[in-house]
Amino acid sequence: MHITSDIRYVGVNDHKLDLFEGQYIVPNGMAYNSYLIMDEKIAVMDSVDAGFTGEWLANLRAELGERPVDYLIVQHMEPDHSGSLSAFMAAYPQAVVVASAKAFSMMKAFFGEEYEDRRRIVKESDKLALGRHTLSFVAAPMVHWPEVIMTYDETDKVFFSADAFGKFGALDVEEEWACEARRYYFGIVSKYGTQVQALLKKAQKLDISIICPLHGPVLSENLGEYLHLYDVWSGYGAESEGIAIACASIYGHTMKAAALLADELKKRGCKKVSLIDLARCDMAEAVEDAFRYDRLVLASATYNGDVFPFMRTFIDHLTERNYQNRTVGLMENGSWAPNAAKVMRTMLDKQKNLTFTETTVKITSALSDDSRTQICAMADELMK
Ligand code: FEO
């Protein structure tokens, strides 16, 4: 696939993977992108997962024939991109690895080899001339690993963005970008909002026509929209008005109460209510919804004096990703000593700029007139 007259796609699709990064389901597989820049000097942008070394080297060979490669640019050392590095270095003995200093330390740690005699260490603003193309490097530490360096091709105005602007899903499956890009972002990158904001500031200064990420499609239209979404997401703003209700129920009574709240919110005109069963959903979808909307309700049964474990896991996912800037309502259930609301509140204590509703719903085993009244009061507050 030609991206520009000199830049070609040489990545692979993975439909064998059960869990990406050991935790994310990928029903439509995953793409490990790699690109080739054909010029007087030839550069390859990143390798691919070790399970696809042969296919990737064959893709390169199909484009290059017997031409040697001059540079392998390693933007990110996570194994989904660096897994075929050693095989490449054996297949292309003239090639020099171009990467940040930190990336070379990681190469030593991963592969026992940091290519002292075949390497070029680059940092922010360094340039690499290939002939017609000049590449300049953009340091992007902690987006989302410390060694990450991105690359801007000044000639074709192409921004190679490492994991940024990536998504779940292989490239031979058609699907909307935002849905799986959002789940990817909030799962994998969202802890590092400050660093993504810093990257976006640098990107603003570049004249970008095409974004080539390491996952997901090459982006060449509506770039403003993708940049805007990344700005909202990394700024911890709400993308849409709406309410996520995340529920951890044991026998279904807490879920009934959560469903009643959802109905009451819709009655009051809330257009987007996402009711989530934390025991049965994809946790990454639940996390995505919590960040996507401006309001969140947590509904949990009390369990061993704590919250039901699925709720604890969910809140841990939120806090480790710096959840902030939202309105939050709490609903608890408990047959003899309801304690879930207190635990949930304590778990969220250190988060920035959370506003809790005045109403906390307390259910004692099953819905009652009292708890129904509290649910209506909470719905009123959330829709104020
Ligand atoms: Fe796609 Fe962070 O590896």
Side-chain angles (χ1 to χ4, degrees):
M1 180 173 88
H2 284 238
I3 293 159
T4 67
S5 55
D6 294 331
I7 300 177
R8 318 237 169 119
Y9 182 83
V10 287
V12 297
N13 289 315
D14 184 353
H15 286 287
K16 297 186 289 193
L17 189 67
D18 61 342
L19 292 173
F20 182 66
E21 291 194 356
Q23 60 174 318
Y24 300 103
I25 58 163
V26 280
N28 287 335
M30 202 67 203
Y32 311 122
N33 296 341
S34 170
Y35 306 93
L36 184 59
I37 307 175
M38 304 288 275
D39 204 334
E40 288 161 34
K41 300 276 187 191
I42 289 182
V44 174
M45 307 298 300
D46 295 285
S47 84
V48 300
D49 184 271
F52 294 83
T53 305
E55 186 181 334
W56 175 62
L57 290 176
N59 290 349
L60 285 173
R61 197 71 74 188
E63 294 291 342
L64 291 167
E66 295 307 312
R67 275 191 76 177
V69 172
D70 298 281
Y71 301 111
L72 173 65
I73 298 173
V74 175
Q75 302 183 105
H76 180 23
M77 273 300 294
E78 200 165 6
D80 51 331
H81 309 294
S82 68
S84 301
L85 195 155
S86 305
F88 174 92
M89 294 303 275
Y92 290 94
Q94 296 177 8
V96 166
V97 188
V98 180
S100 66
K102 217 164 213 109
F104 284 106
S105 317
M106 288 184 174
M107 271 172 232
K108 178 87 175 160
F110 272 114
F111 310 121
E113 168 77 276
E114 54 187 315
Y115 302 103
E116 282 97 336
D117 51 346
R118 295 175 66 187
R119 74 177 182 190
R120 180 151 167 183
I121 297 173
V122 288
K123 58 182 185 326
E124 175 80 15
S125 303
D126 282 357
K127 291 188 192 294
L128 181 67
L130 301 178
R132 293 180 299 283
H133 294 259
T134 299
L135 306 180
S136 68
F137 295 98
V138 178
M142 300 320 296
V143 181
H144 63 125
W145 274 29
E147 84 295 2
V148 172
I149 196 151
M150 299 180 186
T151 311
Y152 177 63
D153 174 7
E154 296 175 359
T155 312
D156 284 353
K157 304 186 189 321
V158 174
F159 185 48
F160 296 93
S161 62
D163 276 342
F165 303 100
K167 66 183 272 297
F168 297 122
L171 297 187
D172 52 3
V173 181
E174 289 241 344
E175 63 182 359
E176 189 210 358
W177 182 85
C179 182
E180 285 295 69
R182 190 187 296 111
R183 189 168 70 97
Y184 178 94
Y185 178 86
F186 286 111
I188 293 171
V189 189
S190 60
K191 179 179 175 63
Y192 305 106
T194 308
Q195 291 84 349
V196 175
Q197 286 274 307
L199 169 67
L200 292 175
K201 282 206 176 72
K202 292 184 191 180
Q204 262 176 3
K205 293 183 188 143
L206 304 173
D207 180 11
I208 299 172
S209 298
I210 298 174
I211 297 175
C212 289
L214 286 178
H215 301 289
V218 170
L219 306 173
S220 56
E221 289 173 357
N222 306 321
L223 296 191
E225 197 178 316
Y226 302 117
L227 289 160
H228 167 71
L229 282 174
Y230 254 61
D231 189 32
V232 172
W233 297 344
S234 57
Y236 299 98
E239 180 187 334
S240 314
E241 282 192 3
I243 302 177
I245 306 173
C247 180
S249 188
I250 304 172
Y251 289 103
H253 292 104
T254 310
M255 181 52 87
K256 262 192 194 150
L260 177 61
L261 175 67
D263 289 344
E264 292 296 333
L265 290 166
K266 286 178 201 159
K267 269 192 216 163
R268 285 160 179 76
C270 188
K271 292 206 173 53
K272 188 62 216 173
V273 180
S274 173
L275 178 59
I276 303 156
D277 179 348
L278 290 175
R280 291 171 183 83
C281 69
D282 165 19
M283 192 58 84
E285 287 278 358
V287 169
E288 176 192 332
D289 276 358
F291 280 97
R292 179 176 188 172
Y293 299 117
D294 56 336
R295 287 153 286 173
L296 171 69
V297 175
L298 301 173
S300 179
T302 303
Y303 190 79
N304 290 336
D306 203 302
V307 286
F308 200 41
F310 296 102
M311 179 59 78
R312 176 160 284 279
T313 301
F314 178 61
I315 297 175
D316 282 342
H317 277 297
L318 298 186
T319 54
E320 78 182 50
R321 289 167 175 77
N322 292 325
Y323 190 72
Q324 55 187 276
N325 301 335
R326 300 293 191 279
T327 298
V328 179
L330 302 174
M331 300 173 71
E332 67 178 359
N333 193 351
S335 292
W336 63 93
N339 195 38
K342 187 173 156 205
V343 174
M344 292 188 286
R345 180 79 192 238
T346 305
M347 287 182 78
L348 291 167
D349 253 0
K350 293 199 173 72
Q351 301 315 115
K352 282 189 220 158
N353 198 23
L354 294 186
T355 306
F356 290 87
T357 57
E358 277 178 27
T359 310
T360 291
V361 175
K362 185 191 292 275
I363 303 140
T364 311
S365 299
L367 275 171
S368 64
D369 288 347
D370 275 357
S371 50
R372 282 193 180 88
T373 303
Q374 290 167 14
I375 284 168
C376 287
M378 179 176 276
D380 287 340
E381 262 194 77
L382 288 167
M383 293 303 290
K384 241 193 268 177

